[in-house]
Amino acid sequence: MSATPVMHSSKPTLPAAPAAPAVPAAPRRARALAPLEPVSARARWLLGVGFFVVFVVVWAFFTLGGFVSPTFLASPVTMVKEGVLLFTEYGFIHDIGMTVWRVFGGFVLATIVAVPLGIAMGTWKSVEAFFEPFVSFCRYLPASAFIPLLILWAGIGETQKLLVIFIGSVFQITLMVAVTVGSARRDLVEAAYTLGANSRGIVARVLIPGAAPGIAETLRLVLGWAWTYVIVAELIGSSSGIGHMITDSQALLNTGQIIFGSIVIGVIGLVSDFAVKALNRRLFAWSTL
């Protein structure tokens, strides 16, 4: 028997594809400088403290080095000595207490008036149309512009100082609360109507609870603004308070006491801000979920 030849089918071989060009590796970004890159709590604390350290070092360099006259800018050492003198010989703790009382007294009065009015403006558009032009107009008037009138109406006692803080805060709180309440989610309102809620229930169970975290944050922000009005409130006819002390120190060219008083106001304001922020987190922990 003759062997049958075996046929081998040969397929044409394709040429090998050229190798893809190597893609250069993306440059590794510096995470600390990347946009919107979060930082750790420890790094945030160190950076915040670092700024104050640099600020004090630069301040000491120019004042202790003789580049700036002590008449115009006291050195950090002189400022600390003047601060100790204020507490030990001039009863500065009483001035601090009076200033804190005026700030919180005027702010509480503004809150009592502004929060209900703001809720009403955010809830009912007719109320907003009636009050919003006047409130917006008054919001741009500086609180210091009312001092001459307030002295005529209320004298130079505590009422005048409380009213300066009140006027500086009430219009800001009113508009911000109105915006917060008015931005409530419409789907929640419609769902409440579907479940049988009436208008009163919508306000009490949907609008106010939903806006409560935003209202609390508004009060925290405006409390910080109230501290900026206290010096103006204590400039005229005041016999106590941090602003009174700063005015007296200005007449004596004592920049050390002026700087120390300003720092005390900043520290008290910062402490109150942290306290209100912690209280808001505790009361409205659900809002961050």
Side-chain angles (χ1 to χ4, degrees), residues 109-128:
L109 291 176
T111 300
I112 293 173
V113 173
V115 171
L117 180 58
I119 292 174
M121 290 173 60
T123 302
W124 295 285
K125 297 305 177 183
S126 58
V127 177
E128 180 183 26

Side-chain angles (χ1 to χ4, degrees), residues 4 11 20 37 46 64 86 95 103 112 220 228 265-266 276 284 286:
T4 304
K11 296 182 180 180
E37 189 72 24
L46 290 176
L64 297 177
L86 285 173
D95 291 326
V103 170
I112 293 173
R220 183 183 71 86
T228 65
I265 291 177
V276 175
F284 309 109
W286 51 268

Side-chain angles (χ1 to χ4, degrees), residues 14-166:
L14 298 176
V23 179
R28 185 171 181 173
R29 64 182 183 179
R31 296 184 62 86
L33 301 178
L36 304 180
E37 189 72 24
V39 296
S40 64
R42 181 173 180 271
R44 181 181 296 275
W45 186 85
L46 290 176
L47 289 172
V49 173
F51 175 84
F52 287 99
V53 172
V54 172
F55 179 82
V56 172
V57 168
V58 173
W59 176 16
F61 173 78
F62 281 100
T63 53
L64 297 177
F67 297 100
V68 181
S69 171
T71 304
F72 299 102
L73 182 62
S75 68
V77 177
T78 302
M79 184 269 297
V80 172
K81 291 180 179 178
E82 293 293 341
V84 173
L85 195 65
L86 285 173
F87 280 109
T88 56
E89 296 190 16
Y90 295 106
F92 190 51
I93 193 68
H94 173 70
D95 291 326
I96 293 176
M98 292 302 298
T99 296
V100 171
W101 142 248
R102 288 161 183 162
V103 170
F104 281 94
F107 177 76
V108 168
L109 291 176
T111 300
I112 293 173
V113 173
V115 171
L117 180 58
I119 292 174
M121 290 173 60
T123 302
W124 295 285
K125 297 305 177 183
S126 58
V127 177
E128 180 183 26
F130 183 75
F131 283 105
E132 198 267 342
F134 174 75
V135 175
S136 296
F137 168 77
C138 292
R139 185 168 66 99
Y140 292 101
L141 298 178
S144 56
F146 293 93
I147 290 180
L149 286 175
L150 293 177
I151 291 176
L152 290 175
W153 295 341
I156 59 175
E158 293 301 311
T159 303
Q160 175 258 333
K161 297 167 182 59
L162 292 175
L163 287 176
V164 172
I165 306 297
F166 173 85

Side-chain angles (χ1 to χ4, degrees), residues 166-245:
F166 173 85
I167 292 174
S169 305
V170 65
F171 302 113
Q172 313 291 341
I173 297 175
T174 301
L175 280 183
M176 295 174 72
V177 170
V179 171
T180 301
V181 175
S183 60
R185 289 172 49 185
R186 294 294 303 176
D187 57 336
L188 296 179
V189 176
E190 296 298 334
Y193 275 126
T194 303
L195 295 174
N198 55 19
S199 297
R200 183 177 179 180
I202 293 295
V203 176
R205 298 190 177 185
V206 179
L207 296 182
I208 293 179
I215 294 174
E217 184 67 13
T218 293
L219 295 179
R220 183 183 71 86
L221 294 175
V222 179
L223 176 60
W225 299 346
W227 279 101
T228 65
Y229 305 131
V230 68
I231 301 299
V232 177
E234 295 176 342
L235 280 179
I236 301 176
S238 179
S239 59
S240 62
I242 301 177
H244 168 71
M245 183 278 294

